[in-house]
Amino acid sequence: MSDLREPAPYDALLLLSFGGPEGPDDVVPFLANVTRGRGIPEERLKEVGKHYFLFGGVSPINGQNRALLDALRKDFADHGLDLPVYWGNRNWAPYLTDTLREMAEAGHRRVAVLATSAYASYSGCRQYRENLAESLAVLEAEGLPVPRVDKLRHYFNHPGFVEPMVDGVLASLAGLPEDVRAGAHLAFTTHSIPTSAADVSGPPEAHGDGGAYVAEHLDVARVIVEAVRERTGVEYPWQLVYQSRSGAPHIPWLEPDICDHLELLHSDGVPAVVMAPIGFVSDHMEVLYDLDTEATAKAAELGLPVRRSATVGADRRFAAAVRDLVLERAAAEQGRAPERCALGALGASHDLCPAGCCPARAARPAAAGADSPYA
């Protein structure tokens, strides 16, 4: 971690997230925001929202972002970093445009942005950059000063993100019955996306089968497996699997699905499984439903012992990692050559998304990249 305390040129940090409903009445309007432009009728949205209704219509993501905000502010204060932290969402209050308007009116002119998505993909990076450009265009139309926004690099392999996940896997292994623990399988899960989107994720040089999205997850999984081997003396078999598919059946998405994978492992005689949701920063609805509810029910049906490891959430090491990422980027903007913390084989990600990085389905302006209209 950097020993520097100077965040200039940045005068604020923006936590940028997906958003989620906070009560039953919010579910359909929230889903309408998520699916805007697709012409999905309200009755279909109610059907899609059944997962939320199972949990009282409340997504955990907003509460988790509040906890992360508290952790960031405490870490910054404890380490003498004088940088206010704001929060804005793509699909629910506090909305990104409202937060950026508040920041602009407060006099902030250079904003570092942390997205709650650690990996390269259209929905996890480029779409957030498009959201930023849309909001900045609104501010410009309102005659407000438009701050420059710089999205912090992908942090999938930062030690402060990976080490809490290692601890989560170790705790889950320890929670398995002793007679099946040594034969357990590790199933690293992430959100499935269309294969066409995966293949063009990341900068153009990373495009190909699975693109940067798959390569980054595989690299993190290998790091965790090695760390677990060092601490337990056991090299557990593992595989990257997927969850939360939501697309049309005829469109190819990344596979195998976690439930299909559990069935295969059971048929192969695997005695236990640890499900490790490495693709998620915190316990999103996809984790609570697709793993804790659906996949766990499938395992019970099979008679297969499973444990689900913890996500990073507001872990103090992740908060420290965010501080490190801010100071690292600030040093680079100051013309210095900061040390860039990264585990695994891929090294630290780029600061500035190049042209052609996670290309959009249709051409739309995107901030915080080489092709940004707001340089």
Side-chain angles (χ1 to χ4, degrees), residues 14-31:
L14 170 63
L15 178 66
L16 176 56
S17 194
F18 191 82
E22 301 203 74
D25 293 341
D26 296 343
V27 172
V28 171
F30 162 73
L31 292 172

Side-chain angles (χ1 to χ4, degrees), residues 95-372:
Y95 288 103
L96 172 60
T97 301
D98 296 336
T99 299
L100 280 173
R101 183 184 296 110
E102 178 187 357
M103 297 175 79
E105 291 174 342
H108 297 297
R109 298 294 177 264
R110 192 75 183 270
V111 177
V113 179
L114 177 81
T116 56
S117 177
Y119 300 85
S121 71
Y122 172 76
S123 59
C125 183
R126 171 94 193 183
Q127 191 173 11
Y128 281 120
R129 293 176 48 224
E130 292 175 356
N131 298 147
L132 286 164
E134 291 169 0
S135 294
L136 293 175
V138 171
L139 267 58
E140 188 174 47
E142 293 174 351
L144 291 170
V146 178
R148 173 170 167 175
V149 295
D150 290 337
K151 182 177 176 293
L152 299 175
R153 67 174 171 93
H154 300 302
Y155 47 85
F156 63 93
N157 57 2
H158 193 288
F161 185 68
V162 176
E163 289 167 1
M165 293 191 292
V166 172
D167 287 350
V169 171
L170 289 168
S172 292
L173 285 167
L176 286 170
E178 189 172 357
D179 61 332
V180 298
R181 188 179 307 147
H185 177 102
L186 307 181
F188 294 103
T189 77
T190 190
H191 208 299
S192 184
I193 62 175
T195 57
S196 58
D199 292 348
V200 295
S201 56
E205 61 269 21
H207 295 178
D209 188 17
Y213 185 74
V214 172
E216 290 169 0
H217 282 87
L218 287 172
D219 202 44
V220 170
R222 292 186 189 103
V223 170
I224 295 173
V225 168
E226 176 58 22
V228 169
R229 185 196 64 77
E230 289 177 355
R231 299 188 201 182
T232 65
V234 180
E235 186 167 344
Y236 289 93
W238 64 276
Q239 185 169 337
L240 177 64
V241 300
Y242 302 92
Q243 60 175 90
S244 312
R245 174 183 172 140
S246 59
H250 68 280
I251 297 175
W253 282 52
L254 293 172
E255 296 178 335
D257 176 76
I258 178 60
C259 288
D260 295 338
H261 186 58
L262 292 176
E263 289 187 338
L264 178 61
L265 292 177
H266 179 256
S267 68
D268 287 344
V270 171
V273 178
V274 168
M275 302 182 294
I278 61 172
F280 301 87
V281 174
S282 58
D283 288 2
H284 300 173
M285 182 57 70
E286 290 91 341
V287 175
L288 291 187
Y289 182 81
D290 296 323
L291 294 185
D292 293 354
T293 305
E294 191 173 55
T296 300
K298 171 58 70 175
E301 172 190 320
L302 297 168
L304 179 64
V306 295
R307 296 292 184 274
R308 195 269 289 177
S309 67
T311 52
V312 174
D315 189 286
R316 60 177 179 76
R317 290 167 292 184
F318 182 45
V322 174
R323 168 171 41 91
D324 185 59
L325 291 168
V326 170
L327 294 173
E328 171 197 289
R329 182 65 181 272
E333 294 295 317
Q334 294 163 17
R336 295 156 32 157
E339 178 183 357
R340 296 175 181 268
C341 294
L343 301 173
L346 296 181
S349 184
H350 50 265
D351 277 342
L352 193 69
C353 290
C357 193
C358 302
R361 302 177 185 91
R364 297 173 64 191
D371 54 356
S372 171

